[in-house]
Amino acid sequence: MINANRQVWALLGHATLTQLITFVLRPATTYRALELGVPASWLGVLSGSFALVPLVLALPAGHIVDRLGERRVMFAGSLLMCAAGTVLLALGHTVPGLVAGSVVLGTAHLGAIVGQQALVANSTTSGRMDSAFGYYTFAASLGQAAGPLMIVAFGGTQAIPDTTPIFQAGIAVAIALVALTFAIESTRTERGPATTENVGVRQLLRLPGLAGALLTACAVLAAVDISLVYLPALGAERGIASSLIGTLLVLRAASSMASRFFLGRLSESIGRRRLLILSIFGAAAGITLAAAPVPVWLLLLAVTVAGFGLGVGQPLTMSWLAESAPPGARGRAMSLRLTGNRAGQVVIPGAIGMVAAGLGAAGVLWVTAAGLALTGVLARNLPVNRS
């Protein structure tokens, strides 16, 4: 039991540090680009370079996890985290160097989280999936919240901080991430005579509920990204103080973390499918209300409700995929989810922006809420893997 507890804490620590490094180095890269005078139009290219390699290599990475084990892929991802910080520190004085560092960081992030998610799926019994993925995503959210604090600590109070110490701090944390990997052991999945080595994307997509879970995860993650961009835009349009918008974003993140921490208990009490549907409709209602001209207290409540609902979607779809996929193919199932998420992050915000063109930030948020509501309706067709 001691080894099992050590494994759990090492995994949660690995998830936290992975996200912390990512949420330190990505904004620091943007600051360095601004320092170099890179036009705002090129910042999108820099941001896209982070997701480019994961979009291409996610499925092969999942296959490698299933063949070689989670620890090796997590270790490779951790080493690449160190490499990403080093590239940014050494070559970040040029735009190609920043792009190269972002590409390496995106690849590192992919390896780390595919290994982590497969480890959760392969080391957790069926009845505990929701709780396990809830704690895992809570740890990841904790790292995402802590990352920007490091920028404050090492970057000073300037509008464009000195990024050199931030890159150095990121490398130091990445070294700790590599060391933490040695406390993790890969699982041993049982395979019958019919091996799962040749299970491909088509076979996975034919599994009951898997395609629906992928669509749900994609829609929820896109809604999170859109809310992060368009809540500040909504505030700018309506003259809402930036401090209040910042408070809204903190509330959204905090309520998402709360829903993930208590996910196992909520799923047991309400049922997985019902909880997923209620959370999606709750998020849609919260976003709809937040986009309307309402009093401040109601705006705070709406964003809190939306954050709580959005926090449920990702871990629940992870556990759904983990239970739908064969034990020897769960790495591929998780990587398939990541591929869908990355594609959704690229396509959905742009598509919604075009549909809602001329309607302003509120229109974008309302279209997003409508898309979530449609996703909630479709989620009723998901099979009940667990009561």
Side-chain angles (χ1 to χ4, degrees), residues 139 145-146 152 161 216 262:
V152 175
T216 302
F262 296 106

Side-chain angles (χ1 to χ4, degrees), residues 302-325:
V303 170
T304 301
V305 171
F308 194 92
L310 292 173
V312 169
Q314 293 301 309
L316 270 191
T317 52
M318 286 182 192
S319 58
W320 220 304
L321 289 172
E323 291 190 353
S324 298

Side-chain angles (χ1 to χ4, degrees), residues 143-162:
Q144 293 173 6
L149 295 179
M150 286 189 64
I151 295 179
V152 175
F154 291 94
T157 58
Q158 299 176 355
I160 299 180
D162 181 6

Side-chain angles (χ1 to χ4, degrees), residues 214-229:
L214 289 174
L215 175 63
T216 302
C218 183
V220 170
L221 186 59
V224 172
D225 284 354
I226 290 169
S227 68
L228 288 175
V229 173

Side-chain angles (χ1 to χ4, degrees), residues 278-289 306 310 365 368-374:
L278 288 175
S279 68
I280 292 173
F281 280 120
I287 291 175
T288 300
L289 191 58
L310 292 173
L365 291 172
T368 301
L372 276 176
L374 177 59

Side-chain angles (χ1 to χ4, degrees), residues 130-153:
D130 293 343
S131 181
F133 276 108
Y135 289 133
Y136 166 73
T137 51
F138 174 86
S141 297
L142 187 62
Q144 293 173 6
L149 295 179
M150 286 189 64
I151 295 179
V152 175

